[in-house]
Amino acid sequence: MQAGRCRWGGLGVWAWLWGAAAAATLQEEPVHLFSQVFYCQIDSPFFGLAQSLDDDQLFWFDFPNSSWHARLPDFHPELPGRVPLANVSAQRELCGELLSLLSNFSDQHAPMPEAKGIPQISIFTRYPLELGKPNTLICSVTNLFPPSADVSWEWNGQPVTQGVSTTQVYPVNWLGFERFSYLEATPQEGDVYSCIVKTPGDQYSGLAYWVPKDPVPSDFLETVAGGVAIAVGILLVILGIVLIVKSRRPRSAVNCQAVQLKTGGPAVGHLVLLTLSCAELHPADPFPSGALWDSRPSLQRDWRAS
């Protein structure tokens, strides 16, 4: 009986430890997330395969040419870790069959709901803006779902194709997709650039404008900031000197008293503030003289009592 209890007790402790370890493992977030996403759809691009680290694309697969490409030139797509071409072909066939099956079921039986995202567009420069100097405008398209969108540029209302390069659609966390488009330009005052995003199969088209504004020169900002810092420093030094001087001066015990006097007839209150200036006074000193003091014995009693 005791052996059975010991056995069940040991199993209980082991189960508790295993559950605690599993809970700690589930709660611990990974430092980085490497993801590989393969998709197929009825709109272009029909197939997609990409590898990402967190929200940054590393490699993408070019299906027409059957080759891997790096997102940045420093990466090497031929290194081990890329999916072999045979596996890519197998995944392509499987995805195509599943897509055909689901499309036929939706057309013949019941329409299947489709998740869609509204693209969010923003334009910014690659380098700090300087009018009249070459720069690169970047159009960022996020919240893209399904992963299909055409991106184009306009300058002062006219289409622009020269100096334009657009990335592939690549996945980010939480099953979203993103795309970037670059425009080599030399911004001038009065220019108006626009990035247009159109999603196939929908009537939606997004538009974002960018107008160059002459920035304040950094040298001028540094000069102004330096001047303000020097001025604040001088004021703090003066304030410190004043406080030091005041703290070393002898303090005079000045007795100030507010007395309420009542006139004859109806009781009407008047508040009179009696301020004694600069002389050091004590209750043992002679009582101050004056018509007001001499005519009010109660004031003399209050003075002695203080």
Side-chain angles (χ1 to χ4, degrees):
M1 202 55 189
Q2 294 180 352
R5 290 181 181 178
C6 183
R7 184 182 302 110
W8 284 110
L11 290 176
V13 172
W14 181 85
W16 182 83
L17 292 175
W18 181 85
T25 304
L26 291 176
Q27 292 178 358
E28 183 180 358
E29 296 182 358
V31 178
H32 296 287
L33 177 63
F34 176 83
S35 60
Q36 177 174 289
V37 177
F38 188 102
Y39 65 88
C40 59
Q41 58 183 356
I42 58 176
D43 296 321
S44 177
F46 304 107
F47 298 93
L49 174 60
Q51 294 179 343
S52 303
L53 181 64
D54 296 334
D55 283 341
D56 297 325
Q57 185 186 32
L58 300 178
F59 308 98
W60 61 277
F61 189 78
D62 183 5
F63 281 91
N65 298 320
S66 299
S67 60
W68 282 97
H69 295 273
R71 177 67 176 85
L72 298 177
D74 295 337
F75 297 158
H76 301 283
E78 67 276 3
L79 293 178
R82 310 290 83 75
V83 180
L85 297 181
N87 294 355
V88 174
S89 299
Q91 293 178 3
R92 177 176 179 175
E93 293 180 2
L94 176 61
C95 190
E97 293 177 358
L98 292 176
L99 178 62
S100 178
L101 179 63
L102 293 175
S103 299
N104 293 335
F105 179 85
S106 178
D107 295 338
Q108 297 177 5
H109 299 282
M112 300 183 64
E114 182 181 1
K116 293 186 178 181
I118 300 178
Q120 300 177 0
I121 312 168
S122 60
I123 303 176
F124 49 92
T125 59
R126 183 176 182 180
Y127 307 105
L129 176 62
E130 294 185 32
L131 296 180
K133 292 187 177 182
N135 208 326
T136 302
L137 299 182
I138 303 175
C139 180
S140 170
V141 185
T142 58
N143 195 36
L144 193 59
F145 196 91
S148 180
D150 296 327
V151 183
S152 59
W153 289 88
E154 287 187 357
W155 171 65
N156 293 334
Q158 301 297 324
V160 178
T161 57
Q162 186 176 1
V164 176
S165 60
T166 304
T167 65
Q168 299 292 323
V169 179
Y170 65 92
V172 293
N173 290 339
W174 308 111
L175 297 179
F177 291 86
E178 195 172 25
R179 194 171 196 181
F180 289 95
S181 183
Y182 305 91
L183 173 62
E184 303 294 335
T186 304
Q188 301 286 350
E189 186 176 359
D191 289 346
V192 178
Y193 294 88
S194 56
C195 178
I196 305 171
V197 178
K198 294 182 179 180
T199 54
D202 293 333
Q203 300 298 325
Y204 173 82
S205 61
L207 179 66
Y209 290 99
W210 184 83
V211 177
K213 295 182 179 179
D214 192 7
V216 179
S218 58
D219 296 340
F220 178 74
L221 288 178
E222 293 176 358
T223 302
V224 172
V228 171
I230 293 175
V232 172
I234 293 175
L235 289 177
L236 292 177
V237 170
I238 295 175
L239 180 61
I241 294 175
V242 171
L243 293 177
I244 293 174
V245 172
K246 283 193 173 183
S247 64
R248 293 186 176 182
R249 291 180 58 185
R251 298 181 179 178
S252 299
V254 179
N255 244 324
C256 301
Q257 190 172 11
V259 183
Q260 185 177 19
L261 303 180
K262 294 185 178 180
T263 61
V268 180
H270 296 275
L271 186 63
V272 180
L273 297 179
L274 304 177
T275 304
L276 306 180
S277 62
C278 290
E280 184 176 356
L281 302 176
H282 301 278
D285 293 343
F287 190 78
S289 60
L292 179 62
W293 296 98
D294 297 338
S295 61
R296 300 292 182 181
S298 60
L299 297 182
Q300 300 181 16
R301 289 195 301 273
D302 293 339
W303 170 262
R304 295 301 180 187
S306 64

